[in-house]
Amino acid sequence: MKQLKRVIFVVMAIFFMISTSCKATDNTPGDLMSLVKLMPGATTMENVTHMFGKPAKIEENKKSTKWYYSNGATNLVVSWDNKSALLSKFSFKGDPSAKSVFDKKQQSLLISGTTDIGQAMKLLGMPRDMSIRENTQEIHYAFQHNVLRLFFRDRVLVDFCLISSQ
């Protein structure tokens, strides 16, 4: 009976190690949603270190410090205000694998003054890139023949435009 308990304990420990290591490298839209929830002006260095670990590279100057994270084609830059030691902005660049054709039905679901960042990301999926500041946010989506730019103020959609690349 003791051997069976040991085997179960070892299997559970291995399963836990595998699941936590997979989570650290996973770039799912759910992880991206947790990234978007970071609030510039309120997020501390400890919060970001807890979420992403130590940065791969750090750059410091008089006014700000930048932390760089990279995972394959995905890059994250977190900027800190040196006076307050709080998050000032962050930018994300990814490479969505499949570029689909923009569906006009999606455009009708994007409502200025109503749609928030979370709703837009659930509707459109992983963006090509985004820049999040305390009051203004901008997200870009790459489609086969155009780019969709979404502009947010205080995390609510203000305006968007579809730019043709043909």
Side-chain angles (χ1 to χ4, degrees), residues 101-164:
V101 176
F102 182 70
D103 184 5
K104 297 288 185 183
K105 292 176 189 174
Q106 292 174 326
Q107 184 174 342
S108 66
L109 298 174
L110 296 170
I111 303 167
S112 296
T114 303
T115 306
D116 67 17
I117 288 180
Q119 293 167 330
M121 290 180 68
K122 284 179 185 173
L123 174 68
L124 300 167
M126 180 180 249
R128 179 184 72 186
D129 60 68
M130 69 177 153
S131 177
I132 306 290
R133 292 179 181 80
E134 189 168 3
N135 296 320
T136 59
Q137 302 81 36
E138 186 173 336
I139 301 177
H140 298 143
Y141 286 91
F143 293 97
Q144 276 185 359
H145 303 292
N146 38 36
V147 173
L148 177 65
R149 293 183 358 183
L150 302 169
F151 300 96
F152 297 86
R153 185 167 292 119
D154 297 323
R155 300 181 181 269
V156 176
L157 184 65
V158 174
D159 193 18
F160 63 92
C161 62
L162 188 64
I163 302 167
S164 178

Side-chain angles (χ1 to χ4, degrees), residues 33-44 47-48 51 79-80 86-90 117 132-135 137 154-155:
M33 292 299 288
S34 64
L35 173 65
V36 171
K37 290 179 183 177
L38 293 177
M39 299 296 289
T43 303
T44 65
N47 298 130
V48 173
M51 284 180 74
S79 299
W80 303 97
L86 295 174
L87 178 69
S88 61
K89 71 177 181 177
F90 65 88
I117 288 180
I132 306 290
R133 292 179 181 80
E134 189 168 3
N135 296 320
Q137 302 81 36
D154 297 323
R155 300 181 181 269

Side-chain angles (χ1 to χ4, degrees), residues 56-75:
K57 178 180 168 186
I58 298 175
E59 286 182 0
E60 293 187 50
N61 62 39
K62 247 182 179 177
K63 293 183 180 182
S64 67
T65 300
K66 290 184 181 181
W67 287 4
Y68 294 87
Y69 293 91
S70 182
N71 185 5
T74 305
N75 296 302

